[in-house]
Amino acid sequence: METFKLVCPCILGVEGLVADELRAMGAKNVEPQNGRVIFDGDAIMLARANICSRYSERVLVLLGIFQAHTFEELFQGIKALPWEQWIGKNDIFPVKGHSLSSQLSSVPDCQKIIKKAVVERLKKKYHVNWFAESDTLYQIQFLILKDQVSVMLDTSGAGLHKRGYRANSTQAPIKETLAAAMAHLSRVRINGNMVDPFCGSGTVLIESALYALNIAPGLRRHFTAENWDQIDENVWIKEKERAQDLVRRDAKFRGWGFDIDGAAVSLTIQNAKKAGVIGCLKVEQRAICDFYTQTDTGVVVCNPPYGERLLDIKQAQELYKTMGEVFEQKHGWSYAVISPDEMFEIYYGRKADKRRKLYNGMIKCQLYMYFK
């Protein structure tokens, strides 16, 4: 089976987690870079990464990397790539991308040049002058970083953070991929207890349950490359069956979600049902001041409201103070809180035992971890 060069873009700060999970899946030559991980894999690996990656934003086929300082260099670099190996004469091939710290800074102009170069290549290969673009989608993506062009085809479609269970959400929801990373870094256990006292639409709670039960996040959704001729449909069928077989059906994991807002509680229950994890969760309306540990051991993982999201800064800092009071240092319990507030530890009342820099959207945050 042919091997491809593949790329998984990811949230800044989780590149190591993505690299580790890809290696565990069987990926070869895994290379973490800033905001992405490059690796080698065949069609099976491509499908597996889409279905099973918890922390990646999408899976791309990397077609080429080259330097371009002018539009002519960009045109010739794109035209030299073997587009006919992927795109048929009736297929759809839109172009989108980004340019950072490069001489070719206009993204719309780069899009036009790339589209023109692909069309010119395919015209010669298929001996046609016009493309209907009415069949299968092959989304072209590009990244120009410091004058280095990476050219890719998107295999995922909707971003991998879209698991399919969260049709609705409360204000300022956390991304599913970031919530999954928090579950991993907080050491949510297969047979352990987990609590989210600010559950919102349930993302952190649900991702923790999916992680503990080893339920692949992509089992309930569709991927663009499922329509591609280059990948046998049986590959997708077998990989979904493999993922189903890896679910830990004997897990004793229990999760509790609390929120002061009754609508958030209802939404969490609704989303947990869609995700297939409601059986191991309990969700109730409860304020943070009424928090207490209900079991001998467990981990609290949460994304409290903060100034840049929902509350003003003063309200958020009062919340941190309350958390510091109710999250008691207790043998068998640990706490992980994500916040962009650099003063968090001061208001919480304790320095974290460990901190991890992560990004929630474009907001730089720290995951403050307390376990001693």
Side-chain angles (χ1 to χ4, degrees):
M1 194 177 281
E2 185 182 355
T3 298
F4 313 117
K5 188 65 77 173
L6 301 169
V7 185
C8 283
C10 57
I11 297 167
L12 288 169
V14 304
E15 297 91 345
L17 272 63
V18 173
D20 287 345
E21 72 169 353
L22 289 170
R23 288 188 193 103
M25 288 181 209
K28 304 297 182 188
N29 302 319
V30 178
E31 183 191 343
Q33 297 181 349
N34 205 23
R36 68 183 191 176
V37 178
I38 296 179
F39 60 104
D40 292 339
D42 56 16
I44 292 169
M45 189 64 223
L46 184 156
R48 187 173 296 172
N50 270 301
I51 295 163
C52 299
S53 180
R54 294 186 191 282
Y55 321 116
S56 302
E57 294 305 307
R58 55 185 63 248
V59 181
L60 310 170
V61 178
L62 181 61
L63 297 186
I65 298 178
F66 58 90
Q67 291 285 319
H69 303 89
T70 66
F71 285 129
E72 180 61 22
E73 287 176 343
L74 178 63
F75 181 87
Q76 294 300 337
I78 296 294
K79 192 179 173 187
L81 297 173
W83 295 101
E84 65 281 358
Q85 291 178 13
W86 297 93
I87 301 169
K89 64 180 178 183
N90 295 315
D91 292 335
I92 307 162
F93 51 104
V95 179
K96 65 181 178 183
H98 304 279
S99 178
L100 303 165
S101 309
S102 298
Q103 290 183 51
L104 300 176
S105 57
S106 169
V107 169
D109 286 341
C110 291
Q111 285 175 294
K112 287 174 191 166
I113 294 292
I114 291 169
K115 182 76 173 186
K116 185 179 177 184
V118 177
V119 167
E120 287 304 310
R121 169 94 184 195
L122 295 179
K123 268 185 183 178
K124 285 190 175 178
K125 294 294 177 180
Y126 294 129
H127 307 291
V128 295
N129 290 316
W130 184 77
F131 294 93
E133 296 200 49
S134 58
D135 205 343
T136 306
L137 174 64
Y138 289 84
Q139 174 70 60
I140 299 169
Q141 291 212 11
F142 68 90
L143 170 65
I144 308 177
L145 178 62
K146 296 178 181 175
D147 301 315
Q148 181 177 270
V149 185
S150 299
V151 190
M152 298 146 290
L153 287 174
D154 175 32
T155 74
S156 301
L160 295 184
H161 69 279
K162 295 193 174 176
R163 321 293 209 198
Y165 63 75
R166 199 174 76 179
N168 302 304
S169 62
T170 53
Q171 277 183 286
I174 195 168
K175 219 172 188 182
E176 291 87 337
T177 42
L178 177 56
M182 288 167 61
H184 175 88
L185 294 168
S186 309
R187 301 191 175 180
V188 167
R189 306 287 188 193
I190 175 175
N191 295 321
N193 303 302
M194 176 269 177
V195 184
D196 180 359
F198 304 98
C199 64
S201 57
T203 309
V204 174
L205 189 66
I206 291 165
E207 288 297 327
S208 294
L210 293 172
Y211 175 79
L213 275 56
N214 201 38
I215 297 173
L219 270 174
R220 293 169 177 258
R221 55 159 288 174
H222 176 77
F223 305 96
T224 294
E226 287 183 65
N227 299 322
W228 290 6
D229 290 339
Q230 290 85 356
I231 304 172
D232 190 316
E233 65 177 334
N234 287 320
V235 167
W236 295 97
I237 293 166
K238 285 176 182 174
E239 282 306 305
K240 288 189 177 182
E241 287 172 353
R242 174 187 174 274
Q244 288 280 14
D245 290 343
L246 291 172
V247 174
R248 297 167 180 147
R249 292 177 173 79
D250 58 343
K252 304 280 194 300
F253 170 83
R254 298 293 302 167
W256 285 265
F258 304 117
D259 204 286
I260 196 168
D261 180 7
V265 168
S266 299
L267 196 50
T268 294
I269 292 168
Q270 186 182 322
N271 289 342
K273 283 177 181 174
K274 280 184 197 161
V277 295
I278 192 65
C280 62
L281 302 180
K282 188 171 183 182
V283 192
E284 295 176 357
Q285 188 171 357
R286 187 184 296 181
I288 187 63
C289 57
D290 297 322
F291 176 86
Y292 61 93
T293 55
Q294 301 173 116
T295 53
D296 293 335
T297 59
V299 56
V300 170
V301 189
C302 62
N303 174 38
Y306 44 73
E308 294 171 55
R309 265 175 79 234
L310 303 174
L311 307 177
D312 66 44
I313 299 294
K314 192 166 176 7
Q315 282 178 306
Q317 289 168 346
E318 283 296 317
L319 202 62
Y320 301 154
K321 190 179 170 196
T322 302
M323 289 161 64
E325 291 165 358
V326 298
F327 291 175
E328 57 181 318
Q329 287 176 279
K330 185 176 178 182
H331 179 71
W333 275 88
S334 62
Y335 307 89
V337 184
I338 194 167
S339 172
D341 194 337
E342 293 179 2
M343 304 288 283
F344 172 83
E345 291 164 307
I346 292 169
Y347 289 97
Y348 186 84
R350 247 176 22 247
K351 277 197 78 72
D353 298 311
K354 189 176 180 182
R355 300 191 338 178
R356 176 83 176 238
K357 186 163 73 174
L358 295 169
Y359 280 78
N360 188 3
M362 296 305 294
I363 304 170
K364 186 173 82 172
C365 299
Q366 295 280 351
L367 183 65
Y368 295 94
M369 292 176 270
Y370 297 86
F371 47 80
K372 292 180 181 173

